[in-house]
Amino acid sequence: MTYPAEDTVVSYPTGSVETGATVLHVDTMPDGRRAVLLDVTSVHPVDAGWPDQGADHAVLRAGSVDTPVLDCVVGATDGTALHVGRDIPVGKGTEGWAFVVVHVVAGDCALAEGDAVVVAVDAGFRARTSAGHTACHLASLALNLAVANRWKKEPRADALGTPDFDGTAIDVSLITENASTDTYRLGKSLRKKGFLTDGIDDDLPALTELINTTLAEWVATDAEVHIDRDGDRLTDRRYWACALPGRPVRIPCGGTHVSALGELGRVLVTLSTHDVAGTSVLTMATTVDAAASA
Ligand SMILES: [Zn+2]
């Protein structure tokens, strides 16, 4: 039983939901479930470092037998063992390590090295998650625009050239079906970087309206969305690319997306703040109403 020496080839960045593949390795995990490694996969795995988009729903089909993929995570191997998720001891691109997509299946799964399978992803779930992810990027760019006048020092710029509030203050980003939730810490470290938090609670209705107006303008352009990539392997750099009005944008992103903004129909955010252990936390909840696209 040898481990793969190269990173898994991934087809989900192009929108693929079905791929023929060969089983390269099957490991038994500490919890008794099995880890199936393939040469190529269309299943989007959850990333250990930035787990914003969850795993696709999928099955591994061999003949008439469908093996459900219970979870799909990123793993790494140096040829002697498989390390999964947070237990990966090295960074991506480390010499001598292969980064692989780990398809977690039940412990009684009969798949073995050398088997041919068809990787079949739940296309509906993928489409709704992709909509949530594209909307998440748009909403964070629109949020940056809405709060751009609150900086007294110039922070780093986002892909549109706006002060990058999202990139500076983001705590957690969670992408789900037709939705995303982003939380931002409005604490001392953000204020030190020059962001004025005064009166932001009273400003939330006006900021919400500004963001939703920007989002409606962007969705109405039906701009094309695509993934730029340096290669077809799991760890090759990928970027979300979209021609927003006046400026094409490119954001590093390992997720999946719609192919045009019109598919989103209507994107709306709501903003709220609450206190977490003495620090004010801003939550932006973004929802997609694809049915509004007609
Ligand atoms: Zn992304």
Side-chain angles (χ1 to χ4, degrees):
M1 291 282 276
T2 55
Y3 289 92
E6 289 189 304
D7 295 357
T8 311
V9 171
V10 292
S11 63
Y12 56 80
T14 63
S16 162
V17 289
E18 194 166 301
T19 308
T22 302
V23 176
L24 297 183
H25 188 84
V26 180
D27 238 28
T28 301
M29 301 177 72
D31 63 7
R33 297 188 296 176
R34 297 249 165 108
V36 178
L37 310 184
L38 306 171
D39 57 342
V40 52
T41 190
S42 48
V43 186
H44 176 275
V46 63
D47 189 77
W50 186 246
D52 59 345
Q53 181 177 337
D56 274 328
H57 297 171
V59 296
L60 305 180
R61 185 166 295 150
S64 59
V65 179
D66 278 0
T67 300
V69 176
L70 307 174
D71 195 6
C72 190
V73 295
V74 172
T77 174
D78 59 356
T80 64
L82 178 67
H83 305 261
V84 169
R86 290 180 183 280
D87 295 332
I88 299 172
V90 295
K92 282 174 188 160
T94 301
E95 185 80 21
W97 286 75
F99 279 74
V100 294
V101 176
V102 178
H103 307 80
V104 180
V105 300
D108 59 0
C109 166
L111 288 173
E113 205 173 313
D115 284 354
V117 294
V118 171
V119 184
V121 170
D122 179 335
F125 179 83
R126 161 72 70 73
R128 294 186 291 275
T129 310
S130 297
H133 202 148
T134 304
C136 179
H137 284 212
L138 292 181
S140 49
L141 291 168
L143 170 63
N144 287 348
L145 280 169
V147 298
N149 60 357
R150 286 184 161 270
W151 292 94
K152 58 177 181 178
K153 289 186 217 163
E154 194 69 13
R156 65 187 228 193
D158 71 11
L160 278 173
T162 317
D164 192 0
F165 170 81
D166 174 80
T168 309
I170 189 78
D171 186 24
V172 178
S173 181
L174 186 67
I175 290 150
T176 51
E177 292 174 273
N178 289 320
S180 66
T181 307
D182 294 281
T183 54
Y184 303 94
R185 295 175 66 83
L186 307 176
K188 201 191 287 176
S189 101
L190 184 66
R191 285 194 292 275
K192 268 191 187 156
K193 287 172 182 157
F195 187 80
L196 301 165
T197 56
D198 325 41
I200 200 160
D201 291 342
D202 297 333
D203 238 10
L204 293 185
L207 291 174
T208 304
E209 203 180 313
L210 258 176
I211 293 167
N212 286 335
T213 301
T214 305
L215 290 170
E217 285 170 10
W218 286 345
V219 170
T221 65
D222 195 23
E224 187 214 350
V225 176
H226 66 274
I227 307 296
D228 280 346
R229 45 188 196 158
D230 294 347
D232 61 1
R233 300 213 175 249
L234 176 62
T235 57
D236 288 326
R237 283 181 193 280
R238 289 186 284 281
Y239 304 85
W240 176 80
C242 180
L244 291 178
R247 182 160 181 166
V249 299
R250 209 168 178 250
I251 294 175
C253 179
T256 65
H257 290 277
V258 300
S259 52
L261 297 188
E263 293 170 39
L264 300 177
R266 187 189 297 130
V267 182
L268 291 173
V269 302
T270 56
L271 298 176
S272 58
T273 50
H274 61 283
D275 190 272
V276 177
T279 298
S280 181
V281 172
L282 171 69
T283 299
M284 178 167 68
T286 306
T287 55
V288 175
D289 180 5
S293 65

